[in-house]
Amino acid sequence: LPLHKALLGQADGALCMELLMAYPEAVREPDSCQRYPLHCALECGADEEISLALFQSFPAAVKERSHLGRLPLHCALVGCAARDVSMEIFKAFPEAAREPDKTGHLPLQVALDSQTDRQVCQAIFTAFPEAQSCCGPLLRCSWLTMQASP
């Protein structure tokens, strides 16, 4: 669909909003990789306005997995989404903290690997502290460093 392509092509936020307004049902349709527009926006680092508009238009997308087994929380972390966007996605489905993608990566691992905002990492850790034991030594070191910093 045009909305998916625009998001994946990192089109201007205004164009993406126009496409969303022209065909709002697009938010409920996955592409050939099982990505909903929310996944596409989050993975590609779309601006906050379009990401939140997609989420608000179809909040159930937070529980949908892409062909890589990624939930929107994984996508937000991989795409380095804004803290407010990542937190909205997390709050809508905190159970995602326990869910690995197809490669076995938990959201905390992805967050630490992509140097996600400390507040987001803390929220994910609080929801699933056991994830720390799944992180390798380098990521555990990142987590400990993050915890120790002011």
Side-chain angles (χ1 to χ4, degrees), residues 33 42 93 145:
C33 294
L42 297 172
F93 186 46
T145 302

Side-chain angles (χ1 to χ4, degrees), residues 89-112:
I89 299 300
F90 171 74
K91 287 176 189 174
F93 186 46
E95 296 84 2
R98 301 176 172 275
E99 299 293 328
D101 62 16
K102 281 192 177 177
T103 61
H105 291 104
L106 291 164
L108 182 61
Q109 292 169 284
V110 176
L112 293 173

Side-chain angles (χ1 to χ4, degrees), residues 4-142:
H4 295 74
K5 290 186 187 296
L7 292 164
L8 292 170
Q10 299 179 333
D12 176 73
L15 172 62
C16 294
M17 287 299 281
E18 284 181 36
L19 291 168
L20 176 60
M21 302 284 261
Y23 185 55
E25 286 304 307
V27 297
R28 291 175 162 66
E29 296 184 32
D31 67 7
S32 61
C33 294
Q34 294 305 303
R35 293 175 299 199
Y36 286 81
L38 182 61
H39 291 85
C40 299
L42 297 172
E43 277 182 6
C44 294
D47 69 42
E48 194 170 340
E49 181 183 9
I50 188 68
S51 297
L52 290 173
L54 292 167
F55 166 67
Q56 291 162 355
S57 296
F58 186 50
V62 298
K63 296 182 180 182
E64 299 295 334
R65 291 184 181 270
S66 72
H67 70 294
L68 297 175
R70 289 180 178 164
L71 292 163
L73 181 59
H74 292 94
C75 297
L77 301 170
V78 166
C80 300
R83 175 182 18 184
D84 291 346
V85 173
S86 296
M87 289 302 293
E88 284 298 312
I89 299 300
F90 171 74
K91 287 176 189 174
F93 186 46
E95 296 84 2
R98 301 176 172 275
E99 299 293 328
D101 62 16
K102 281 192 177 177
T103 61
H105 291 104
L106 291 164
L108 182 61
Q109 292 169 284
V110 176
L112 293 173
D113 192 43
S114 59
Q115 300 178 345
T116 298
D117 178 87
R118 179 182 176 161
Q119 182 181 350
V120 175
C121 289
Q122 186 63 52
I124 294 169
F125 175 76
T126 301
F128 187 50
E130 296 86 353
Q132 185 181 0
S133 65
C134 299
C135 296
L138 186 58
L139 289 180
R140 265 188 246 130
C141 182
S142 296

